[in-house]
Amino acid sequence: DAGITQSPRHKVTETGTPVTLRCHQTENHRYMYWYRQDPGHGLRLIHYSYGVKDTDKGEVSDGYSVSRSKTEDFLLTLESATSSQTSVYFCATRDSRNYGYTFGSGTRLTVV
Amino acid sequence: DAKTTQPPSMDCAEGRAANLPCNHSTISGNEYVYWYRQIHSQGPQYIIHGLKNNETNEMASLIITEDRKSSTLILPHATLRDTAVYYCIVRVAQGGSEKLVFGKGTKLTVNP
């Protein structure tokens, strides 16, 4: 979707290094989400935000942290990447005025 | 945990209606049912959502049973491009925020 940009689109990193993924939106949506997708698991929620500086954990938050210092950006950080965090990461947003969620195109992260 | 149950796979002939079932027997009175689909490794795409009444849009129809314990997504004239994984999701509300919890979905294959 043109309103959501995830960066980088692809990244290969080494075990133990910090990694930050960025989700940028131009829709002024209040809610933002980070999901990961792995074979056999579907999409699992990592963290979400319901406003600037307001974040909460999802079902698979261990090893991840997030920050939202302004409405348009939601950052996902892997403090010390592990091979189990190799995955495709999707960002999503939602406007408080309607019920539709919009997903980004994803970031494919490989930890070697 | 996901609050929905879907068959892992289904097949449909091109041009015929595709009927995708979903069970959500523990749904609460104010929880919406959403349907998304994911083609290849793209981000999930919104299809339709509903609370109690049947809904229709340009993509599909959503039939929700009177007791709200199950629903069916109908693609009236399936095409090869409708081959995708379809997710039935109950939107979970927690305090002042809410989120989508995905299950494993149904892989729909539309055959020529």
Side-chain angles (χ1 to χ4, degrees):
Chain A
D1 187 278
I4 300 177
T5 303
Q6 292 187 231
S7 59
R9 291 297 311 277
H10 302 273
K11 185 172 182 64
V12 179
T13 191
E14 293 185 350
T15 299
T17 60
V19 177
T20 295
L21 308 183
R22 182 187 185 221
C23 178
H24 178 78
Q25 56 134 335
T26 58
E27 307 296 327
N28 201 36
H29 285 177
R30 176 182 175 186
Y31 299 93
M32 298 186 75
Y33 307 81
W34 276 108
Y35 287 86
R36 63 176 287 176
Q37 186 170 34
D38 307 289
H41 287 279
L43 283 94
R44 293 181 291 175
L45 183 64
I46 305 171
H47 281 281
Y48 60 102
S49 169
Y50 42 98
V52 174
K53 298 189 186 304
D54 289 325
T55 65
D56 206 346
K57 297 179 179 180
E59 57 187 311
V60 289
S61 60
D62 288 347
Y64 301 94
S65 62
V66 290
S67 65
R68 190 157 179 215
S69 59
K70 47 187 178 179
T71 299
E72 56 265 37
D73 288 325
F74 193 32
L75 304 180
L76 177 71
T77 298
L78 291 66
E79 300 291 347
S80 178
T82 67
S83 58
S84 65
Q85 293 176 311
T86 292
S87 187
V88 180
Y89 292 85
F90 288 101
C91 173
T93 71
R94 186 181 79 82
D95 188 349
S96 57
R97 294 170 295 178
N98 62 55
Y99 299 108
Y101 289 68
T102 304
F103 283 80
S105 300
T107 294
R108 183 174 296 275
L109 176 67
T110 303
V111 183
V112 298
Chain B
D1 291 338
K3 299 182 68 172
T4 61
T5 304
Q6 300 176 253
S9 63
M10 294 183 65
D11 284 275
C12 177
E14 187 178 20
R16 304 296 294 270
N19 297 284
L20 290 84
C22 179
N23 288 322
H24 31 80
S25 58
T26 61
I27 193 169
S28 299
N30 61 347
E31 291 180 332
Y32 283 77
V33 177
Y34 282 74
W35 282 84
Y36 278 76
R37 73 180 183 183
Q38 190 174 27
I39 298 173
H40 298 301
S41 56
Q42 299 175 20
Q45 176 190 22
Y46 168 81
I47 301 173
I48 200 167
H49 75 278
L51 182 62
K52 297 180 181 178
N53 301 320
N54 298 338
E55 303 287 345
T56 296
N57 63 21
E58 64 277 6
M59 290 182 67
S61 295
L62 174 61
I63 308 299
I64 303 174
T65 58
E66 190 169 346
D67 62 9
R68 303 213 321 124
K69 293 185 177 182
S70 65
S71 61
T72 300
L73 178 74
I74 301 173
L75 308 178
H77 305 287
T79 71
L80 298 179
R81 288 179 294 180
D82 290 323
T83 293
V85 177
Y86 287 77
Y87 295 98
C88 169
I89 305 158
V90 170
R91 182 168 65 97
V92 177
Q94 280 185 312
S97 65
E98 39 90 339
K99 57 190 177 183
L100 298 180
V101 180
F102 284 76
K104 296 185 178 181
T106 295
K107 181 172 174 53
L108 175 68
T109 302
V110 180
N111 300 305

